[in-house]
């Protein structure tokens, strides 16, 4: 957090993941995901204390989360987030809630579909129902 100048004040800590994934970009609508930031985040989700990092990830806008899921480097960040035993389950649930309305985009993407497959294989029946309802509505 110190390296990305978001350690203090505490309110800036939520900006760590966006700063790591999206370096300065001239195009505000299409941001490129930084490979090295992606690799560092994948590693961090293996740590015991991931609360601040996972909170920062789910603070992204749904459009940005969808972009991360559909990116070849970013999808691995989401994989490590979802598969980590150290990420609070409430953060994983918040991720699924934020992704509502974006499951069609995930299903139609090469990298995003892996995320969707993982969600469908691990979520409870109620959450799977929400996803399937969204997918079947756009059949």
């Amino acid at each position: 957090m110190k390296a990305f100048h978001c350690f203090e004040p505490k309110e800036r800590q939520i900006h760590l993941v966006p700063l790591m994934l999206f370096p300065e970009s001239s195009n505000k609508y299409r941001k490129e995901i930084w490979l090295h930031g992606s690799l560092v985040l994948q590693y961090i989700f293996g740590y015991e204390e991931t609360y601040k990092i996972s909170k920062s990830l789910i603070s992204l806008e749904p459009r940005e989360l969808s972009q991360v899921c559909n990116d070849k480097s970013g999808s691995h960040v989401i994989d490590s987030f979802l598969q980590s035993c150290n990420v609070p389950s409430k953060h994983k649930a918040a991720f699924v809630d934020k992704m509502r309305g974006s499951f069609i985009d995930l299903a139609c993407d090469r990298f995003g579909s892996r995320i969707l497959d993982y969600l469908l294989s691990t979520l409870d029946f109620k959450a799977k129902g929400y996803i399937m309802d969204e997918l079947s509505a756009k059949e």
Side-chain angles (χ1 to χ4, degrees):
M1 289 184 178
K2 287 180 182 179
F4 286 93
H5 308 289
C6 59
F7 184 70
E8 289 185 357
K10 288 195 180 273
E11 297 82 40
R12 284 197 43 82
Q13 291 179 359
I14 202 149
H15 299 292
L16 180 63
V17 170
L19 289 170
M20 291 180 77
L21 285 180
F22 305 112
E24 295 298 321
S25 176
S26 59
N27 185 348
K28 69 177 185 177
Y29 298 108
R30 178 67 182 155
K31 299 177 182 178
E32 297 296 321
I33 292 180
W34 188 41
L35 172 65
H36 295 94
S38 168
L39 293 171
V40 170
L41 285 171
Q42 291 172 53
Y43 188 74
I44 288 174
F45 282 122
Y47 288 173
E48 277 186 41
E49 183 56 44
T50 61
Y51 184 84
K52 290 178 183 178
I53 303 297
S54 59
K55 189 171 180 175
S56 179
L57 178 68
I58 61 173
S59 75
L60 292 173
E61 295 295 320
R63 174 185 50 81
E64 292 172 320
L65 276 176
S66 182
Q67 180 186 352
V68 173
C69 289
N70 292 337
D71 183 83
K72 69 179 179 181
S73 299
S75 65
H76 292 290
V77 172
I78 303 299
D79 276 339
S80 61
F81 167 77
L82 292 172
Q83 294 177 13
S84 175
C85 300
N86 302 318
V87 171
S89 58
K90 69 178 182 177
H91 286 175
K92 292 178 185 180
F95 170 80
V96 173
D97 286 341
K98 272 211 159 177
M99 291 305 295
R100 286 195 181 164
S102 302
F103 292 120
I104 295 293
D105 293 335
L106 293 183
C108 294
D109 186 81
R110 179 173 128 193
F111 303 109
S113 62
R114 288 187 313 105
I115 304 294
L116 190 61
D117 284 342
Y118 182 78
L119 289 173
L120 289 173
S121 68
T122 58
L123 292 175
D124 61 12
F125 187 73
K126 186 176 178 181
K128 286 180 190 179
Y130 291 132
I131 294 172
M132 296 310 292
D133 286 345
E134 184 178 324
L135 292 176
S136 64
K138 299 283 184 166
E139 181 189 8

